[in-house]
Amino acid sequence: MSDEKKLPYDAVTGKDLPPRETPGYYPGFSTMNQAGYWDDATRTTVKKRLHEVPPIRFFSAAEASLLEAMLARLVPQDDRTADRRIPILPWIDQRLFRNELSGFRYENMPPDQEAYRLGLTAVASMAEQRFSKPFGDLTVHQQELLLKSIHDGEPEPSHDAWDRMDVDRWWAMVLEDAVSAYYAHPWAWDEVGFGGPAYPRGYMRLENGLPEPWEVDEQRYEWNAPVDSLSGDTDAALPPHHGGSHGHGGTH
Amino acid sequence: MSFLPLGGAFKKPKAGKHYLGPMQTLPGPMRTFDPKETVDYAVIGVGSAGGVLLQRLARAGFKVVGLEAGPFWDTERDWVSDEKGSRELYWNDLRITGGTHPLALGANNSGKGVGGGSVHWASFTPRFHPSDFEVYTRDGVGVDWPLSYWDLKPWYELLEREMPVAGPAWFPWGDPHGHPYGPHPMGAVGDVLIKGATKLGIRTVAGGPVAILSASHGDRPHCIYRGFCIQGCKVGAKASTLITHVPDALMHGAEIRPHAMASRVVVKDGRVTGVEYFDREGQPQFLSARAVLVCGYAIETPRLLLNSACPGHERGLSNSSGTLGQYLMAQAGNVIAGRFDELIRMYKAPPAHALTEEFYETDPKRNFARGFAIQTVGPLPIAFAKQMMAAKGVWGWGLRKVMMDYNHWSALGVLGEILPWQDNRVELADDKDRYGLPVAKVTFNLHENDLRLIEFGKQKTMDVMRAAGATEVIQESRFAHLVGAARMGASSRDSVCDKFGRSWDIPNLFICDGSVMPTQGSANPGLTIQALAARTATYLIEQGDAIFTSTARPMNEPAIRYDQSPPFTKFKGNPRIA
């Protein structure tokens, strides 16, 4: 694994971007610095998320370490300093432990808990079959080869778990859970320039992408995913049935 | 951490007060009926319709109890300006979903708690068009309503004041009308819609119509444009029955039992006698009532009626036609996202603030019946990440990179009319909930007309996005809203209830929520649900005790009443165009 490039690199200079506290185009912006302007309930909720990461209660140690390795590829955080990586696994574990559903289950899917276990079993055995190593010991590239085959809906090698549940639905569930944990975190809000909670103060500069007096304007830099990464594509074409698989209250 | 204290709502909520918005508190101790007492009306589900019914029936002096499966929200303590922290607003319990185009449920379309879906709606409040009530007559598709637009119009006008609705002085589509409160300032997403549409010669309206206050109103402050509408409006600016109608209901002696999960409507000798439910502790209870109003929305209403099957009603209550659970509808809700070189910051301003209904009506030049609207939406980071996953297939570094451009994206929603089809339905699944009750199984299939309409609407909206200057335009297929599955009709042979929601089979059983809609147009259903509820309430009040004793079914429209509205709303806010 020594020669692997795991860091994204500067698109102009070609040099690795060193890990930072807050990657992204809004240097110095911190939603938590605004927490004094939030209402009590919101501040408590967000601070708890920051400081009270739940213990692992649903997954076995082996399952947890496999999923942790997977999540490191689904939402890579190598560009973040070690102390500023956003926990994802504990929140998925908590959801399954508490049986927090999204309000529905597809008729061609087992219950979420069973689906997670089944899928992890499949990933573990696919790693052994294809590379004769546990998933966690594979190179990043090998891990991504396996994951990309699941993403593409054509798991390679095949595994009978995928006859028992829809591979696209499984992929969507795991990745949705992962992004739900990542982008719920104030450090991720800082990264994407989301102003965060704004009650009772509100927003006043509504048009033309203008920042509030307490927000930071964008300072872009061009960067690319690590050279050997298979997940760097910003438009990975998908089969049409991938649409609308989730229940977020995002729209109308 | 240092910050400048601004006072006002920065104060902690006062102990012993239950807040409905920052300024309004729960009025006094709530009346509680003796558990053994027979009340006049049991209202199952205190949401968009249930809240309005409860309020009017209490005001008219009836003994009325609302059973609500979820909590009685204290908006200052329970609600947060946070996507993840708002999950409890939704009906997250298990349902099974399938068909050719399975619907995502939960956060997408179902509320739980006092106020129901009106707590998390984006609160676009367009009226249905006159044509919506006669699509079969006009286009030979779907079915006609057993009432006309003109029957409902006075109730639209009334509810637009009771919420109240902010919007343009002139809404040009359907039956043109104005709005009682002035339009909101524009956000960047609305600017995109207006810019793109204008380039293509498409009319738009801006700043509404939305049930969000553009100026303060009674004890509710105006909008602060924080963008968390669908996470529950802590500001108290967005209308939900929790803050618009429930306080008045309690003031007039209604009781609401939160955490009360109805399990069965009980029938004896051809009439309902009350409701079995599980209380907060999971104990079975019985609420004896002279009439029952089922207001559980398009999934829980048919589920409850199916679960209430009993001798004489083996297929479920009010199901002699066999149509209970059938003709479920969702609207096409494709989200079109466009990336702009300039910054947008779409998290600011209410997600709902501009729309066009230029494509709402059937156009013989197109190859499908009916149409669609284009509306602003404003996904926050988690919702947007899921959309990017679905629309672009991104993961890993690609996902992180796209998300760093969050502030460069704008999103518009197609709101497309999907016709009522018999095979789109709610049934009972084998799975059981925590009370041992069979959960709902929802089947949803798109048909040829729907597919053509969605394709056209999607392309048109992408055209608008490109015309506005987007350099990359993508789309995600999804659905919005739920109506139907206990439809009203002119005949007991092919519908569940009459035009007032009264069961064809059981004279003191009513259904009043989105599930009664025979078709759905391409307007968001919230305003229509509340207008129908106000009309049914006035019908019940007009009929008086006859509802409890008689089998007569008078079909004359109730006379509009202006004395049944909550305070601060009567004749407040005058639409410029009546």
Side-chain angles (χ1 to χ4, degrees), chain B residues 223-296:
Chain B
C223 182
I224 62 168
Y225 307 102
R226 72 182 178 133
F228 284 92
C229 296
I230 60 179
Q231 283 73 31
C233 182
K234 284 198 82 141
V235 181
K238 188 189 77 176
S240 69
T241 56
L242 174 70
I243 63 171
T244 56
H245 289 78
V246 163
D248 194 50
L250 299 192
M251 212 110 66
H252 288 86
E255 178 186 351
I256 292 175
R257 298 183 188 166
H259 302 286
M261 176 66 190
S263 53
R264 167 181 290 271
V265 178
V266 179
V267 179
K268 202 177 165 196
D269 302 329
R271 302 185 73 86
V272 296
T273 58
V275 188
E276 290 175 0
Y277 67 97
F278 291 95
D279 67 13
R280 190 190 298 257
E281 280 76 40
Q283 295 303 309
Q285 305 288 353
F286 180 69
L287 170 62
S288 173
R290 299 164 83 193
V292 171
L293 304 169
V294 184
C295 312

Side-chain angles (χ1 to χ4, degrees), chain B residues 14-15 25 70 87 124 139 161 188 240 278 340 350 373 406 523 530 575:
Chain B
K14 285 186 191 136
T25 54
R87 75 177 299 278
F124 264 128
D139 296 322
R161 290 182 179 187
S240 69
F278 291 95
F340 291 78
Y406 173 64
Q530 291 194 32

Side-chain angles (χ1 to χ4, degrees), chain A residues 160-231:
Chain A
D160 64 5
W162 309 119
D163 302 329
R164 293 163 60 192
M165 64 181 175
D166 186 296
V167 62
D168 297 332
R169 298 279 185 224
W170 189 78
W171 174 267
M173 175 178 72
V174 177
L175 190 53
E176 281 173 14
D177 281 348
V179 302
S180 298
Y182 188 85
Y183 292 104
H185 200 283
W187 295 345
W189 302 341
D190 301 343
E191 172 185 322
V192 303
F194 168 57
Y199 170 77
R201 178 173 51 182
Y203 290 121
M204 58 179 174
R205 294 181 176 174
L206 309 182
E207 293 181 281
N208 305 314
L210 290 172
E212 302 298 310
W214 46 271
E215 288 182 313
V216 169
D217 215 347
E218 185 187 52
Q219 294 172 43
R220 287 188 78 79
Y221 55 88
E222 296 305 321
W223 63 276
N224 290 321
V227 280
D228 63 347
S229 173
L230 297 175
S231 76

Side-chain angles (χ1 to χ4, degrees), chain A residues 39 42 49 74 76 79 101 105 107 151 193 199 207 210 212 215 218 220 223 231 234 236 246-247 249 251, chain B residues 76 81-82 87 95 97 104 107 191 230 234 347-348 392-393 396-398 400-401 405 407-408 476 478:
Chain A
D39 65 282
T42 301
R49 189 171 303 152
L74 294 182
D79 57 342
L101 307 180
R105 188 180 89 222
E107 61 181 351
H151 164 274
Y199 170 77
E207 293 181 281
L210 290 172
E212 302 298 310
E215 288 182 313
E218 185 187 52
R220 287 188 78 79
W223 63 276
S231 76
T234 54
H246 50 89
T251 58
Chain B
E76 281 290 300
S81 295
D82 182 64
R87 75 177 299 278
R95 291 152 167 176
T97 189
D191 288 343
I230 60 179
K234 284 198 82 141
Y347 54 89
K348 298 184 187 186
K392 288 165 78 76
W397 289 110
R400 289 276 315 283
K401 192 169 182 184
D405 276 349
N407 281 343
H408 283 271
E476 181 209 5
R478 60 198 309 272

